[in-house]
Amino acid sequence: MAAGHDLVILAVDAGSAEAQLLLDELSAALLRINGDSGRSSFDVEAATPRGGFYIARDTAGELQGCAALRPLGDPHSAIGELKRMYARPGATGTGAALLAHVEAQARLHGYQALHLSTRVANTRALAFYARHGYAPVIAWGKYVGAAQSACLGKKL
């Protein structure tokens, strides 16, 4: 559990109703920005001992955002992958708090770096990650040769 900006961040089941609500909002937002919900690149069954699905709530208990962590590639990978990062509109500070929480969890799970992919069209996300120390990395998996994708990473 982490608190920051009066937020509480907890690990939950990605299949839970609250998680699904946030994932649906994220998919709708990404569809507006990118023309693709990104839903196909996240499998809720991909629960792993070296990751989790996290939700942020404010002190009133209102959902503010979510993020997921999983190993990139094989289960023993030194690189964690940040997935399904979302902060509700107006939820100032939520993205930064979630990102810090996932980075801390990644360190606890023994990852040496955290990678993510976002769309080139998502300029707000690109600026957000750049502010938090993320820089371009070599693409992996389905992102190889995908001109619409920006693959970013940070050493932990």
Side-chain angles (χ1 to χ4, degrees), residues 20-155:
Q20 289 300 306
L21 176 71
L22 289 165
L23 288 168
D24 286 347
E25 285 182 22
L26 170 62
S27 292
L30 290 175
L31 194 57
R32 284 194 302 275
I33 297 166
N34 304 324
D36 179 345
S37 70
R39 193 186 291 269
S40 64
S41 26
F42 183 71
D43 175 7
V44 295
E45 303 310 313
T48 164
R50 295 184 69 218
F53 188 88
Y54 310 99
I55 59 170
R57 298 177 182 283
D58 63 16
T59 48
E62 290 290 317
L63 292 171
Q64 297 297 307
C66 63
L69 170 68
R70 68 181 187 191
L72 182 60
D74 79 89
H76 307 290
S77 176
I79 299 171
E81 185 179 12
L82 173 68
K83 302 290 294 181
R84 302 279 89 182
M85 173 82 156
Y86 174 65
R88 282 183 156 168
T92 308
T94 298
L98 275 164
L99 186 59
H101 185 76
V102 172
E103 288 175 354
Q105 292 297 312
R107 285 185 194 95
L108 287 175
H109 287 298
Y111 295 113
Q112 292 163 18
L114 196 57
H115 287 186
L116 65 100
S117 177
T118 189
R119 290 294 183 109
V120 173
N122 195 344
T123 52
R124 281 187 61 212
L126 291 173
F128 170 82
Y129 291 120
R131 279 198 308 277
H132 289 91
Y134 286 77
V137 293
I138 304 283
W140 64 90
K142 69 177 207 161
Y143 304 117
V144 174
Q148 72 275 20
S149 294
C151 293
L152 307 173
K154 178 179 176 179
K155 288 199 175 2

